[in-house]
Amino acid sequence: MTIEDLFREETISVRAYHICNQNNINTVKALKDFYIKHKSFEHLKNCGKKSNEELIQICQNYHFKVVDSLNNNHQETIFKNPLKDIITNLTRVQRDIINSFILVNTNSLTVRSKNAISRHLNGNLKVKNFAEKILLLENFSPKKLKNIGVKCIPEINIYITIIKDFLNEVSQSTNEKYLISLKNNFLIQRTFSITKIPNKVLESESIFLLTDFLLDQNALFDETQTIIVKKAFKIYQKQKELTLDKIADEVKLTRERVRQIRVMCLDELFEKLSFIKNFNDDLFQKYNIDTNSEQIEINQELVDNINITNLTYFSREFVTYILYVYLSEKFSLIGEIEDVLQPRYFNARNRHNWKNFYLIEKDIIKEIDFIALANDIDNRISDRIIETYSFNFKSYLSKFLINNNYDFLDSAFPIGEKIINEEFELYLDLDENLIFKRNTKKQAHEYPYEALEHLGKPSKVKEIFEKVLELYPNYDTDEAKIRVSMKRKNGFVPIGRKSVFGLKKWENEIENFRGGTIREITRDYLHTKQSPIHIQELADHISKFRPKTYSRSILDNLKADESGEFIFLKQSFVGLSTKINIYNLVKYKTLPTQLGKKIILLNKKGLSINEIVLFLKNTYELEQNESYNIIKNLKYFQ
């Protein structure tokens, strides 16, 4: 390999290239031979300290065999790349730190460069594989990477140089604290170009301390954006909530521009904070946070512990969000970011507006739709609940299974319960039922309705009024108001005309109970008949519901009706005026007064029922069913 080849591959600087040409060193072998003989290049013309180090490094980067001319014994000597021994002798801590550094720097490359490196390394970014396929490979060149462009070569060369420098520096120390500090310093400087980083940030590996530092250094956003982020989001505890107008006045921008920046920063917040995932914060040891649990509960006690440990003042909302970013490989965040991190000036429609964040293990999120659960509960409590009702919570929770995997219900149960507690202030009863309580004001008619349910029988207004006061001593009402509220449309029925009321539903629940007046009972009964009926048959029907009534009082009651609803025929038959067109009134006019007695006489003479029916049909032109109806009521004439 010639020096010209190195120059074309950009593995030798222009100055070192000219030094070699001026001194007739045209090949790598000649360069190595010169180094073996003279142990240095410093006495070459125009070769300074940096050029000397560069040429020595080139020699060390290549394996080769030479004859030891100094000893004149023709002994074969093998020269090795010193990086191989360095990598072989790395401790576990050193390897972990270098592995982390390689991963971070690879992720910071442009997409094309990153894909080329990952493909070349087969996705294995461990230091051993990186060294074997890049650092220790004699003929490695960025140009040989698949799908790499000319513009990517300088970036990859810098990337390799940074990792090589870091590897050398890490290998020179076994002090774990120093190594962590060194890694963090490289990471922060490489990512944000911050030159002065406090030792407490570098050595602690605290994701909270680091976030606080990056915010204060305007590293995540520019200065104006950082001000808006700090004032528009719930970053700190007891933070004063400012409107967009007030923030706009402070940063000297329009309200609309501040709104746009706020939206942009919120969209980018996760990506910006993702840098903290490069740190190794021991959450369990420091704060007793169990990352192996199905849900991470962030209460105020934990937030206080984090803030005291790190001398920060973050809010519960922002602490949860930082943990979410750091643990996003395993946990999902439930709760709308706009709802929780921004001050709430108005509520979104058609969905639940979240008060808090919830960190839940991803395997559970794949099985239970907690968002749909919250939206359903929100819809229920937003609607008018006229009567309290409840669900068994586990059964209710099963409605939101995504894959009908009922095995996850036990895991989802405490998570769902926490959500309903904190978001809706709803709590399960002793039987694990979720109760949706009535949320409408009690209407006037509901008081006597409830009183009658307690009394359990038709009662006078006075009795109902007294029961209402017994149940609700502070309710301001009187008998007149109670009487007015007990309307039929509200489920009440009067019992006669003596201020006695019952409940309409009792007609289906209590045997021989019928509300309404005698006239109403008569009207309903006559509607079921195709011809007028005798007053005694009507009395028999009404006496089931009003035992103290009799035929004469019923007839007098009906005749006192001034509406003209009823018609009265001979022999005390009663019908409805609305059905007059279907009645055969002629036969009722020709019915002799003593018809009943004549039927009885025929019966006593031994005539059968059919013979009597035939007699009535032929003599009085009655229909067969009407004849039977008259005979059925023979007892009324006895």
Side-chain angles (χ1 to χ4, degrees):
M1 182 179 289
T2 64
I3 300 299
E4 187 72 30
D5 291 334
L6 295 181
F7 183 67
R8 283 198 301 270
E9 292 181 1
E10 299 181 1
T11 55
I12 187 171
S13 67
V14 175
R15 186 178 184 84
Y17 169 71
H18 287 309
I19 291 171
C20 292
N21 282 341
Q22 290 168 4
N23 291 279
N24 296 318
I25 300 175
N26 299 316
T27 65
V28 175
K29 183 177 183 306
L31 187 68
K32 297 173 183 177
D33 291 341
F34 187 93
Y35 177 62
I36 292 170
K37 183 176 181 181
H38 300 284
K39 306 301 181 186
S40 174
F41 299 98
E42 285 185 335
H43 63 279
L44 291 177
K45 185 179 179 180
N46 297 326
C47 185
K49 182 178 179 181
K50 287 187 178 180
S51 297
N52 179 56
E53 291 176 354
E54 180 184 355
L55 293 172
I56 292 174
Q57 186 65 51
I58 290 173
C59 291
Q60 292 175 342
N61 283 347
Y62 293 90
H63 299 278
F64 57 94
K65 298 179 181 180
V66 301
V67 177
D68 190 349
S69 58
L70 297 176
N71 298 326
N72 294 320
N73 57 7
H74 302 286
Q75 181 181 355
E76 187 179 71
T77 305
I78 300 175
F79 289 85
K80 296 181 180 179
N81 189 329
L83 279 175
K84 188 169 185 179
D85 289 334
I86 290 174
I87 292 167
T88 302
N89 295 320
L90 289 174
T91 65
R92 182 189 60 79
V93 174
Q94 289 172 328
R95 283 197 307 273
D96 289 343
I97 289 173
I98 295 170
N99 288 340
S100 176
F101 189 77
I102 294 173
L103 176 63
V104 171
N105 279 274
T106 304
N107 289 333
S108 68
L109 293 171
T110 59
V111 175
R112 176 169 288 189
S113 298
K114 177 183 176 181
N115 290 340
I117 291 293
S118 297
R119 190 162 41 246
H120 180 71
L121 298 175
N122 295 322
N124 182 358
L125 298 177
K126 302 294 184 182
V127 60
K128 182 180 179 182
N129 188 56
F130 188 91
E132 289 176 352
K133 294 188 176 181
I134 294 180
L135 298 181
L136 301 178
L137 198 64
E138 287 189 28
N139 60 351
F140 175 79
S141 171
K143 291 181 179 179
K144 296 181 180 180
L145 293 174
K146 190 176 181 180
N147 296 330
I148 203 69
V150 176
K151 293 182 179 179
C152 295
I153 292 174
E155 179 188 29
I156 294 177
N157 282 329
I158 294 171
Y159 157 79
I160 294 171
T161 301
I162 288 172
I163 292 175
K164 186 188 296 183
D165 291 344
F166 185 73
L167 194 154
N168 281 321
E169 188 159 357
V170 167
S171 68
Q172 295 172 17
S173 175
T174 56
N175 185 304
E176 186 173 347
K177 199 170 186 180
Y178 167 77
L179 293 174
I180 292 172
S181 177
L182 179 66
K183 182 201 74 169
N184 294 342
N185 190 53
F186 264 95
L187 289 176
I188 297 173
Q189 286 187 354
R190 174 81 173 87
T191 308
F192 302 106
S193 301
I194 301 175
T195 54
K196 296 181 68 175
I197 306 168
N199 286 333
K200 66 177 182 178
V201 174
L202 296 174
E203 295 175 359
S204 70
E205 288 213 290
S206 167
I207 57 175
F208 304 102
L209 196 59
L210 175 63
T211 301
D212 193 46
F213 172 74
L214 294 177
L215 279 172
D216 288 342
Q217 293 293 313
N218 301 322
L220 301 176
F221 304 99
D222 66 32
E223 185 176 356
T224 300
Q225 291 170 346
T226 301
I227 293 173
I228 293 173
V229 166
K230 287 184 175 182
K231 293 183 179 297
F233 301 144
K234 297 177 184 178
I235 303 296
Y236 304 105
Q237 294 192 53
K238 299 180 181 179
Q239 183 174 339
K240 185 179 179 181
E241 295 185 357
L242 299 179
T243 62
L244 290 176
D245 292 318
K246 291 183 179 179
I247 299 173
D249 289 340
E250 289 193 28
V251 296
K252 309 302 181 187
L253 294 173
T254 65
R255 181 186 186 279
E256 176 58 20
R257 183 57 187 149
V258 170
R259 188 196 65 80
Q260 292 171 356
I261 293 174
R262 184 184 68 177
V263 172
M264 179 194 70
C265 291
L266 195 62
D267 290 342
E268 296 178 356
L269 188 58
F270 180 88
E271 182 182 351
K272 296 286 187 181
L273 280 178
S274 292
F275 175 76
I276 65 176
K277 291 195 283 188
N278 300 312
F279 286 64
N280 187 25
D281 201 345
D282 193 341
L283 300 175
F284 184 77
Q285 183 175 354
K286 289 181 180 178
Y287 319 112
N288 198 31
I289 296 175
D290 184 7
T291 56
N292 292 319
S293 62
E294 295 173 335
Q295 177 188 14
I296 296 180
E297 183 175 351
I298 295 91
N299 53 35
Q300 193 58 46
E301 182 180 354
L302 174 60
V303 173
D304 291 340
N305 185 17
I306 289 171
N307 283 325
I308 291 171
T309 303
N310 298 284
L311 299 178
T312 53
Y313 201 60
F314 289 137
S315 66
R316 176 187 175 188
E317 294 86 351
F318 196 54
V319 165
T320 308
Y321 192 78
I322 292 171
L323 286 170
Y324 159 59
V325 174
Y326 187 63
L327 301 171
S328 58
E329 298 297 322
K330 184 179 179 183
F331 288 87
S332 291
L333 188 72
I334 296 298
E336 287 288 337
I337 298 174
E338 293 86 350
D339 293 347
V340 181
L341 280 187
Q342 292 180 170
R344 189 177 303 170
Y345 298 111
F346 59 88
N347 289 335
R349 296 180 180 180
N350 303 321
R351 69 167 178 82
H352 172 59
N353 291 265
W354 293 82
K355 299 176 183 177
N356 302 293
F357 286 135
Y358 303 89
L359 275 180
I360 303 172
E361 206 265 333
K362 284 190 172 182
D363 287 344
I364 297 178
I365 294 297
K366 294 176 183 176
E367 299 293 337
I368 298 281
D369 191 344
F370 291 104
I371 302 294
L373 167 69
N375 288 338
D376 187 73
I377 294 177
D378 191 272
N379 288 334
R380 289 178 180 278
I381 62 178
S382 297
D383 289 340
R384 294 180 73 250
I385 303 176
I386 298 175
E387 187 174 349
T388 298
Y389 64 94
S390 64
F391 296 125
N392 176 271
F393 187 58
K394 183 176 284 190
S395 176
Y396 175 60
L397 198 61
S398 67
K399 288 176 53 180
F400 306 98
L401 285 170
I402 297 172
N403 301 310
N404 292 325
N405 192 341
Y406 290 88
D407 292 339
F408 278 86
L409 281 178
D410 288 336
S411 298
F413 190 97
I415 299 171
E417 184 177 10
K418 183 175 179 61
I419 289 175
I420 66 170
N421 292 165
E422 295 199 1
E423 294 297 314
F424 305 101
E425 296 183 358
L426 295 176
Y427 301 90
L428 304 183
D429 64 13
L430 295 177
D431 296 320
E432 296 184 344
N433 293 320
L434 175 60
I435 302 171
F436 294 92
K437 293 184 177 180
R438 173 190 181 131
N439 58 13
T440 56
K441 186 178 180 181
K442 207 176 188 73
Q443 298 182 15
H445 70 271
E446 293 181 85
Y447 292 97
Y449 196 98
E450 188 175 341
L452 271 172
E453 286 185 317
H454 280 272
L455 290 168
K457 62 183 180 63
S459 305
K460 291 188 175 183
V461 174
K462 183 178 180 181
E463 294 176 300
I464 299 171
F465 168 67
E466 290 172 351
K467 193 64 178 179
V468 168
L469 293 185
E470 178 186 330
L471 296 173
Y472 300 97
N474 298 323
Y475 179 48
D476 183 18
T477 189
D478 54 41
E479 283 190 44
K481 291 179 181 177
I482 294 294
R483 185 192 303 275
V484 170
S485 69
M486 291 190 292
K487 300 182 183 298
R488 290 179 180 275
K489 66 178 182 180
N490 296 327
F492 298 93
V493 286
I495 310 298
R497 298 182 180 276
K498 297 182 179 180
S499 296
V500 177
F501 288 86
L503 298 178
K504 180 68 175 175
K505 67 177 184 177
W506 287 348
E507 293 181 351
N508 299 321
E509 296 175 356
I510 301 176
E511 187 178 0
N512 293 332
F513 176 83
R514 174 70 163 78
T517 62
I518 287 177
R519 294 175 188 177
E520 290 170 337
I521 298 173
T522 299
R523 180 197 311 120
D524 292 344
Y525 189 64
L526 287 173
H527 270 301
T528 67
K529 303 296 181 179
Q530 295 301 311
S531 61
I533 61 174
H534 194 273
I535 190 63
Q536 191 59 47
E537 179 184 351
L538 183 61
D540 284 349
H541 173 71
I542 293 175
S543 64
K544 298 176 185 176
F545 316 114
R546 305 289 185 270
K548 295 182 180 181
T549 59
Y550 52 93
S551 59
R552 186 65 194 176
S553 66
I554 294 172
L555 187 61
D556 291 342
N557 187 317
L558 297 178
K559 287 183 176 180
D561 177 50
E562 297 179 355
S563 67
E565 186 175 14
F566 304 101
I567 57 173
F568 304 95
L569 306 171
K570 290 183 177 182
Q571 298 293 329
S572 298
F573 279 83
V574 181
L576 291 174
S577 58
T578 56
K579 302 180 76 171
I580 197 168
N581 292 330
I582 65 172
Y583 291 160
N584 185 1
L585 297 180
V586 175
K587 61 187 178 185
Y588 290 102
K589 290 179 181 178
T590 58
L591 284 175
T593 305
Q594 300 300 318
L595 176 63
K597 292 181 179 180
K598 191 162 189 175
I599 293 173
I600 294 171
L601 180 61
L602 292 172
N603 188 37
K604 286 181 178 180
K605 286 184 177 182
L607 270 69
S608 67
I609 296 296
N610 290 333
E611 289 174 327
I612 296 174
V613 168
L614 183 62
F615 168 79
L616 292 173
K617 183 177 179 182
N618 294 330
T619 307
Y620 299 105
E621 298 180 356
L622 293 178
E623 297 292 339
Q624 187 168 334
N625 62 333
E626 292 175 323
S627 301
Y628 275 117
N629 189 40
I630 293 172
I631 295 170
K632 188 178 77 172
N633 295 310
L634 282 178
K635 58 182 178 180
Y636 305 146
F637 304 96
Q638 295 175 0

